[in-house]
Amino acid sequence: MLTLQDITLSRKSELDRFFELENSRSADFNFGNIYMWDNRFRQSVAPCGDRLITLLSRKGLPYFAFPVGVGDIKPAFEQMISYCEENSFSFRLCGICDEHLELINNAYPDMFEITEDRDYSDYLYDINKLAAYPGKHLHSKRNFCNRFEKEHEWRFVPLSKALIPDCIKMLDEWKAQSAERLSCDYGYEEAAILRGFAHFYELGLEGGVLYAEGRIIGFTVGEKISSDTFCIHFEKAFTDIDGAYPMVCREFCRMLREKHRELRYINREDDMGLESLRSSKRSYSPCGMVKKYTARWSDGNP
């Protein structure tokens, strides 16, 4: 019988093994994101050989995430299927990426209905382009940065634990200014940010802070999620300061490029189906998407 356990900080090194084996560019498969958002998704896990089984709550329904790792997927799938039967709910799978589709179809041909999960697909960017904003597609970002540099006395520094209290104060100001535009999920996002700040070093997070005239006007937080990809978990800046967001993005990518020479891509996560967020992410000219899919048994299967 499948025995699922809550995700705790003490299990990070144990669970990191599965994410390293998967080596995915998806924002879903890294300990930091899972731990910070646990208030929202209520995830529990169980190892199954060299794969990790994860149960979560999504839109009020139980889902299993694709079991990341290496090797045959059937042992993990059989345990997930049995768990669903024992607990009387339908077998639903989320977080499926393109590289998983062949594994599922080979192991269970024609047994699943698979649907693209556009709202949860991640935006992928060339780190070198975000670090310079070259070409016509990014000229507006470049212009914003040029104007910002002329108009402000600014600096960008690595985020350290000593700066976290001031970042939280800035987040409170940002929330007050943005109250009318916040989605219903913002409470979960704020809780995730604060949880990340509380365990910044333990989670292996990295970040940067933008100052103008001696005041924090933006910050960003993320982590390396695969051999060539860094994921931006949170990015906040004051919208009434022109160029603050493009500056935070550009300067952090420059910092990351110097520190992690192997990086090729920046994952800026999904748009949650929000048109304003979708427009913003497209404006940074993504080089591709990490497509996500959901799956459920076809009619006639359990």
Side-chain angles (χ1 to χ4, degrees):
M1 182 177 176
L2 182 62
T3 302
L4 295 158
Q5 296 181 319
D6 292 341
I7 292 174
T8 60
L9 198 57
S10 63
R11 303 190 68 188
K12 183 179 186 303
S13 60
E14 172 197 354
L15 302 184
D16 276 345
R17 181 177 80 87
F18 298 100
F19 305 132
E20 289 166 5
L21 289 171
E22 182 71 21
N23 195 31
S24 175
R25 292 176 183 146
S26 168
D28 296 341
F29 305 131
N30 55 89
F31 187 85
N33 224 6
I34 290 172
Y35 183 80
M36 287 186 290
W37 282 91
D38 197 42
N39 286 334
R40 175 69 177 83
F41 295 106
R42 300 294 181 186
Q43 302 185 71
S44 53
V45 295
C48 180
D50 285 331
R51 291 195 174 273
L52 181 67
I53 294 173
T54 305
L55 179 68
L56 63 143
S57 174
R58 187 173 183 234
K59 298 180 179 178
L61 295 172
Y63 275 81
F64 281 101
F66 184 86
V68 292
V70 294
D72 188 2
I73 66 170
K74 279 192 170 181
F77 268 63
E78 296 307 311
Q79 288 207 45
M80 292 187 291
I81 292 165
S82 295
Y83 187 90
C84 290
E85 292 173 347
E86 291 162 5
N87 290 275
S88 302
F89 61 80
S90 299
F91 181 37
R92 305 179 189 89
L93 203 63
C94 65
I96 301 165
C97 299
D98 282 328
E99 59 267 26
H100 302 143
L101 295 177
E102 184 176 0
L103 296 174
I104 294 173
N105 289 327
N106 286 342
Y108 299 94
D110 302 319
M111 295 184 71
F112 283 95
E113 291 180 4
I114 296 175
T115 305
E116 185 174 348
D117 201 8
R118 175 62 182 82
D119 293 351
Y120 286 86
S121 295
D122 299 330
Y123 290 78
L124 204 64
Y125 303 82
D126 182 325
I127 189 172
N128 292 316
K129 290 187 175 180
L130 291 186
Y133 298 140
K136 64 179 183 180
H137 294 300
L138 290 166
H139 77 278
S140 64
K141 305 295 182 190
R142 188 168 64 251
N143 289 343
F144 272 123
C145 288
N146 290 340
R147 192 179 314 130
F148 181 93
E149 290 179 288
K150 290 177 182 177
E151 294 176 353
H152 299 280
E153 186 176 316
W154 67 278
R155 61 191 173 100
F156 189 84
V157 301
L159 176 56
S160 65
K161 204 145 192 176
L163 297 180
I164 285 175
D166 288 336
C167 287
I168 293 173
K169 290 178 183 177
M170 179 257 158
L171 182 64
D172 289 338
E173 290 181 53
W174 178 90
K175 180 172 63 173
Q177 289 184 9
S178 309
E180 293 182 1
R181 296 181 287 105
L182 294 179
S183 73
C184 58
D185 270 347
Y186 177 70
Y188 290 116
E189 183 186 39
E190 183 179 27
I193 293 172
L194 295 178
R195 199 174 206 206
F197 279 158
H199 304 286
F200 189 75
Y201 293 129
E202 300 96 316
L203 291 171
L205 300 176
E206 299 178 53
V209 180
L210 178 65
Y211 286 84
E213 287 73 50
R215 167 189 172 222
I216 292 178
I217 63 165
F219 68 82
T220 183
V221 177
E223 67 182 302
K224 188 180 175 186
I225 60 172
S226 77
S227 57
D228 64 4
T229 304
F230 191 95
C231 183
I232 304 297
H233 294 322
F234 308 111
E235 183 182 84
K236 299 299 177 191
F238 290 128
T239 56
D240 62 342
I241 301 177
D242 288 343
Y245 268 110
M247 284 292 293
V248 169
C249 177
R250 188 193 74 177
E251 291 303 304
F252 192 44
C253 287
R254 290 179 175 182
M255 184 181 289
L256 290 171
R257 196 170 55 171
E258 288 300 311
K259 184 176 180 180
H260 302 285
R261 301 290 181 132
E262 71 281 6
L263 289 178
R264 295 176 58 199
Y265 301 107
I266 299 293
N267 182 322
R268 289 175 61 83
E269 301 193 350
D270 58 60
D271 58 36
M272 301 185 292
L274 300 173
E275 192 54 44
S276 60
L277 197 52
R278 184 165 296 185
S279 177
S280 174
K281 289 181 185 288
R282 285 175 173 170
S283 73
Y284 284 85
S285 193
C287 63
M289 301 288 293
V290 180
K291 290 185 178 180
K292 309 280 183 67
Y293 305 86
T294 59
R296 67 177 185 87
W297 282 118
S298 301
D299 292 343
N301 289 318

